[in-house]
């Protein structure tokens, strides 16, 4: 009876059925094993599946490099980057303990508690920004507040990542605000250098970003022992400029003072070192605050132009330096050659050409006096004589050698204008009478500055230099920029003779006596050019300029001042508008570089 009951409870399975069942189980396990091998071994070794596996388990995080510093040549900071953090939250993984922290998080971020709670409640989101530009100290406090061990899904787990986290960024700052703004340039919100030195030397400033490649499981838990790629970021280099922040600051303030007094359209002041081409200041008005570059009211695009290389004008009488230099160099004239500056017309290649007007008659005058009194008719006759003897193309080639009609090489691709210098085949019947006095040609302030630099540099053309050195993050010199002599334009003797003539321009009786500084032998040339308004030369609107150097016999610094359309009663002559500005800037240069006078000084007023 007992055996019968047992048999009914546990019926005997036929042998055949048992074998089929076992075979089926074995087959299923075998199929699973084969499938696992197929997926994890065979397919995993193919590029397609390897990339899919890596995409699901591997993550790469970029560690951004800190941008390098820009300094003046004395080491004073002009641009730097500081660390900041964007605080974000992943509401989908917030716990009750995290939500209770909302008031404290709001207080640290200086946000309304209601705003933070509302963002925490949006559990369907994976990312919400709480606040940008938070300090490292605040970020660390927020990270400390969040518990590492939390109850999640009924269990206490240790979190490897926190739901409220910071994303590192670097923000660019310009401590001197509008100082040399157009020269330095800026980095926009996307981190892209937009202009100036920031753009020109970006390959040195930007550094090299680092990165981390990690492996994690489906719950985003990192396998720290499998962090197989980790490269630390390398900070950017320091760019040391040739600019002197003290001279630059004075020039910027001088521009602002003159702007308030004369209400011009623009002002440009350039200061460079003789014999090297190193720029010590390059001021342009109107300017803007580099920290507010994206404010259309505080920093309109018009104010962001580097007017020293973008704006052109007819240089006027400053250009006479070119005319006289080439004529002396080719021995077409001497310093004592006399021309009749009262002539209304003069012969040229068998024709009588009408002479330009002069502000005052000087009668018959030597080349030396023509320069001193800035005679338009005298300069025109010198140019005509040169072109007759040497050819119009020779005149044109000398103008090019002085740097007109070509880029200054200060920046590459910076929207620079090369000005206008017409080839002889495009000249009209009066061009030869106007070209020698600085009309029928246009140039930028820096081109005019380079013209005067040729005389100060003993006849050699030095490219303007704005970057002095590049140093790595450890302070070691990566590269050093040496003065670049483009060519010899005129001989030393000719340059010396022209310098002596320009010294007379700044003495009593010359057109630039207001530029002179007792004891320092200033040499230079004024320029007063009429603006073209409505296709005609205006008798009321002018560009006043002065370009000069000191001391005349052994030049140390060259300064150029250009004031576009000063508003005053009467003509805005270069001698009355630009020359005094030159004197004030030169006085600051003398002070900052502690230059000793070269002759005894009886009156030091105005220095």
């Amino acid at each position: 009876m007992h055996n019968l009951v047992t048999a009914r409870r546990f019926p005997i399975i036929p042998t055949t059925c048992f074998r089929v069942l076992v075979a089926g189980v074995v087959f299923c396990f075998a199929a699973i094993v084969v499938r696992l091998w197929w997926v994890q071994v065979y397919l995993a070794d193919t590029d397609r599946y390897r990339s899919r596996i890596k995409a699901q388990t591997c993550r790469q995080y970029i560690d951004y490099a800190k941008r390098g510093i820009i300094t003046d040549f004395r080491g004073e900071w002009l641009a730097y980057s500081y660390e900041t953090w964007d605080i974000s939250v992943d509401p989908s993984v917030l716990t009750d303990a995290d939500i209770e922290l909302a008031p404290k998080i709001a207080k640290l971020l200086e946000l309304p508690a209601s705003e933070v709670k509302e963002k925490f409640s949006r559990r369907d989101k994976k990312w919400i920004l709480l606040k940008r530009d938070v300090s490292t100290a605040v970020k660390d406090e927020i990270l400390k507040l969040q518990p590492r061990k939390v109850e999640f899904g009924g269990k206490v787990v240790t979190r490897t990542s926190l739901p409220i986290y910071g994303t590192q960024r670097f923000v660019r700052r310009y401590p001197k605000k509008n100082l040399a703004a157009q020269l330095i340039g800026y980095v926009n919100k996307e981190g892209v250098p937009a202009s100036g030195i920031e753009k020109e030397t970006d390959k040195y400033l930007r550094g090299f970003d680092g990165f981390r490649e990690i492996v994690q499981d489906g719950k985003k838990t990192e396998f720290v022992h499998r962090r197989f790629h980790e490269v630390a970021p390398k900070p950017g280099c320091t760019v040391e400029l040739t600019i002197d922040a003290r001279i630059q600051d004075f020039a910027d303030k001088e521009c602002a003072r003159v702007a308030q007094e004369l209400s011009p359209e623009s002002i440009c002041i350039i200061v460079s070192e003789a014999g090297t081409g190193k720029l010590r200041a390059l001021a342009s008005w109107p300017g803007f605050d580099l920290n507010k570059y994206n404010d259309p009211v505080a920093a309109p695009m018009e104010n962001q132009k580097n007017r020293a290389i973008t704006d052109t004008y007819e240089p006027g009488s400053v250009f006479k330096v070119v005319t006289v230099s080439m004529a002396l160099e080719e021995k077409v004239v001497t310093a004592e050659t006399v021309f009749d500056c009262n002539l209304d017309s003069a012969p040229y290649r068998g024709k009588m050409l009408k002479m330009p007007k002069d502000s005052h008659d000087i009668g018959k005058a030597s080349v030396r006096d023509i320069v001193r009194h800035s005679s338009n008719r005298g300069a025109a006759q010198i140019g005509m004589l040169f072109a007759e003897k040497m050819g119009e193309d020779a005149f044109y080639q000398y103008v090019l050698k002085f740097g007109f009609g070509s880029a200054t090489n200060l920046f590459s691709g910076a929207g620079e204008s090369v000005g206008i210098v017409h080839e002889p085949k495009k000249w009209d019947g009066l061009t030869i009478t106007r070209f020698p006095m600085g009309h029928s040609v246009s140039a930028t302030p820096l081109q005019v500055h380079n013209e005067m630099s040729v005389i100060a540099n003993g006849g050699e053309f030095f490219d303007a230099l704005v970057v002095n050195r590049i140093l790595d993050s450890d302070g070691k010199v990566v590269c050093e920029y040496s003065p670049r002599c483009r060519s010899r334009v005129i001989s030393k003797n000719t340059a010396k003779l022209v310098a002596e003539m320009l010294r007379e321009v700044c003495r009593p009786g010359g057109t630039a006596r207001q530029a002179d500084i007792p004891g320092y032998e200033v040499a230079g040339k004024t320029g007063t050019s009429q603006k073209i308004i409505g296709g005609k030369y205006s008798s009321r609107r002018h560009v006043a300029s002065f370009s000069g150097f000191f001391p005349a016999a052994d030049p140390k610094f060259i300064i150029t001042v250009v004031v576009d359309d000063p508003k005053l009663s009467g003509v805005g002559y270069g001698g009355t508008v630009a020359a005094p500005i030159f004197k004030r800037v030169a006085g600051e240069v003398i002070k900052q570089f502690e230059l000793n006078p070269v002759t005894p000084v009886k009156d030091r007023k105005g220095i």
Side-chain angles (χ1 to χ4, degrees):
M1 187 68 179
H2 176 74
N3 291 336
L4 181 60
V5 173
T6 303
R8 287 177 179 175
R9 290 182 179 176
F10 306 98
I12 298 174
I13 302 173
T15 304
T16 302
C17 292
F18 179 76
R19 289 176 178 174
V20 171
L21 180 62
V22 171
V25 172
V26 171
F27 177 80
C28 289
F29 274 104
I32 292 172
V33 171
V34 171
R35 180 61 179 169
L36 289 173
W37 175 85
W38 179 261
V39 172
Q40 297 188 16
V41 179
Y42 180 77
L43 290 181
D45 199 40
T46 64
D47 291 339
R48 177 187 173 192
Y49 277 81
R50 188 183 296 115
S51 62
R52 288 177 64 182
I53 292 169
K54 186 174 182 180
Q56 292 174 4
T57 62
C58 297
R59 293 287 183 273
Q60 187 179 84
Y61 296 92
I62 297 176
D63 291 331
Y64 294 102
K66 188 175 184 180
R67 193 170 179 82
I69 301 166
I70 299 176
T71 74
D72 78 340
F73 90 107
R74 300 179 191 271
E76 192 163 349
W77 286 17
L78 304 178
Y80 68 94
S81 294
Y82 68 88
E83 184 182 60
T84 186
W85 299 82
D86 292 344
I87 304 299
S88 306
V89 61
D90 181 354
S92 66
V93 295
L94 286 173
T95 65
D96 292 340
D98 296 322
I99 294 173
E100 291 175 0
L101 294 173
K104 293 182 179 179
I105 299 294
K107 186 176 180 180
L108 285 170
L109 296 178
E110 298 180 347
L111 294 172
S114 58
E115 180 183 333
V116 175
K117 288 180 180 179
E118 188 273 330
K119 290 181 178 180
F120 279 15
S121 66
R122 298 162 69 179
R123 307 302 288 272
D124 58 323
K125 301 291 184 180
K126 297 288 290 183
W127 175 85
I128 295 177
L129 177 69
L130 293 177
K131 190 174 182 180
R132 292 192 184 278
D133 295 340
V134 173
S135 68
T136 302
V138 171
K139 183 266 300 182
D140 290 342
E141 283 296 317
I142 290 173
L143 296 183
K144 287 178 183 179
L145 282 176
Q146 299 172 78
R148 288 287 177 177
K149 290 186 177 182
V150 296
E151 186 177 339
F152 198 83
K155 295 181 180 180
V156 176
V157 297
T158 300
R159 297 191 290 198
T160 57
S161 60
L162 298 172
I164 308 170
Y165 57 92
T167 303
Q168 185 189 49
R169 290 195 308 115
F170 290 104
V171 175
R172 201 68 168 160
R173 277 290 173 266
Y174 304 93
K176 302 295 184 180
K177 298 181 179 180
N178 65 335
L179 186 139
Q182 296 91 344
L183 180 66
I184 296 171
Y186 57 85
V187 177
N188 63 26
K189 285 189 174 182
E190 287 71 37
V192 178
S195 61
I197 291 298
E198 290 279 25
K199 184 177 182 180
E200 190 72 13
T201 61
D202 181 57
K203 64 180 180 180
Y204 296 111
L205 287 167
R206 66 172 176 251
F208 296 94
D209 294 336
F211 67 91
R212 290 172 290 123
E213 284 189 354
I214 68 170
V215 178
Q216 58 188 20
D217 61 17
K219 295 182 179 180
K220 297 185 179 181
T221 301
E222 180 187 354
F223 298 119
V224 180
H225 62 284
R226 295 188 65 185
R227 186 182 288 184
F228 49 88
H229 282 123
E230 189 169 9
V231 177
K234 185 177 180 180
C237 295
T238 293
V239 173
E240 181 184 279
L241 304 182
T242 61
I243 295 297
D244 185 333
R246 297 178 298 185
I247 303 298
Q248 180 70 45
D249 182 57
F250 186 89
D252 284 334
K253 289 177 178 177
E254 184 66 14
C255 283
R257 188 194 66 78
V258 174
Q260 188 173 13
E261 180 182 328
L262 300 177
S263 302
E265 288 191 10
S266 66
I267 308 170
C268 189
I269 299 176
I270 305 170
V271 181
S272 71
E273 188 178 83
T276 65
K278 292 182 178 181
L279 291 172
R280 296 308 185 192
L282 196 154
S284 182
W285 182 92
F288 68 104
D289 186 340
L290 283 167
N291 299 301
K292 299 177 181 178
Y293 68 87
N294 60 339
D295 186 332
V297 176
M301 291 304 298
E302 181 70 12
N303 292 11
Q304 297 185 20
K305 293 194 306 180
N306 189 341
R307 296 180 183 276
I309 60 175
T310 62
D311 287 10
T312 60
Y313 67 104
E314 287 192 340
S317 295
V318 177
F319 189 84
K320 292 171 184 174
V321 172
V322 177
T323 303
V324 171
S325 295
M326 68 173 79
L328 290 171
E329 179 70 12
E330 299 297 337
K331 296 180 173 52
V332 172
V333 299
T334 68
E336 307 308 326
T337 302
V338 175
F339 294 89
D340 188 349
C341 298
N342 282 348
L343 294 176
D344 292 328
S345 59
Y348 179 71
R349 297 192 187 280
K351 295 181 179 180
M352 295 300 291
L353 300 183
K354 186 178 181 180
M355 290 290 97
K357 293 181 179 180
D358 266 328
S359 59
H360 56 281
D361 295 333
I362 62 172
K364 292 183 178 181
S366 66
V367 171
R368 191 184 299 275
D369 287 335
I370 288 171
V371 173
R372 183 181 184 184
H373 296 289
S374 195
S375 171
N376 292 334
R377 291 179 173 180
Q381 291 181 70
I382 294 171
M384 291 162 67
L385 181 60
F386 180 92
E388 276 193 317
K389 288 190 175 183
M390 306 301 298
E392 292 173 344
D393 189 65
F395 189 105
Y396 171 73
Q397 292 300 325
Y398 259 105
V399 173
L400 296 184
K401 286 198 290 184
F402 268 90
F404 294 97
S406 62
T408 61
N409 295 328
L410 183 66
F411 291 131
S412 58
E416 178 177 0
S417 173
V418 297
I420 298 174
V421 180
H422 294 296
E423 298 178 58
K425 62 183 180 181
K426 295 181 180 180
W427 292 6
D428 62 26
L430 288 178
T431 297
I432 190 58
T433 67
R434 303 306 190 260
F435 206 167
M437 55 175 274
H439 284 195
S440 300
V441 58
S442 72
T444 63
L446 186 55
Q447 286 176 327
V448 172
H449 184 82
N450 286 340
E451 169 213 331
M452 189 60 67
S453 297
V454 169
I455 307 303
N457 293 329
E460 292 183 318
F461 189 114
F462 280 86
D463 283 323
L465 197 62
V466 71
V467 179
N468 196 37
R469 297 186 301 172
I470 307 293
L471 302 94
D472 65 17
S473 55
D474 296 322
K476 296 179 181 178
V477 177
V478 174
C479 63
E480 193 161 357
Y481 291 78
S482 301
R484 300 186 299 262
C485 180
R486 187 184 297 187
S487 64
R488 174 165 286 284
V489 181
I490 55 176
S491 67
K492 281 187 177 181
N493 288 337
T494 300
K496 182 179 179 181
L497 180 56
V498 174
E500 290 174 0
M501 294 181 183
L502 296 177
R503 173 70 189 117
E504 293 300 315
V505 173
C506 301
R507 290 183 184 276
T511 59
R513 54 191 176 278
Q514 292 191 53
D516 198 24
I517 300 175
Y520 289 91
E521 294 189 344
V522 173
K525 188 72 188 73
T526 56
T528 308
S529 56
Q530 295 171 288
K531 296 192 68 171
I532 298 177
I533 308 296
K536 297 181 179 180
Y537 283 105
S538 171
S539 60
R540 301 184 62 185
R541 302 178 66 179
H542 300 79
V543 177
S545 62
F546 179 83
S547 187
F549 53 88
F550 62 93
D554 184 20
K556 295 292 189 294
F557 290 93
I558 307 115
I559 302 173
T560 298
V561 178
V562 180
V563 183
D564 185 359
D565 199 11
K567 309 297 188 301
L568 69 169
S569 57
V571 177
Y573 288 110
T576 56
V577 173
I581 300 172
F582 171 96
K583 183 174 183 177
R584 289 190 290 269
V585 175
E588 184 67 15
V589 171
I590 291 169
K591 173 184 173 183
Q592 295 297 342
F593 284 90
E594 300 179 350
L595 299 179
N596 294 320
V598 293
T599 58
V601 180
K602 297 179 181 179
D603 181 12
R604 297 295 298 275
K605 293 180 181 179
I607 299 180

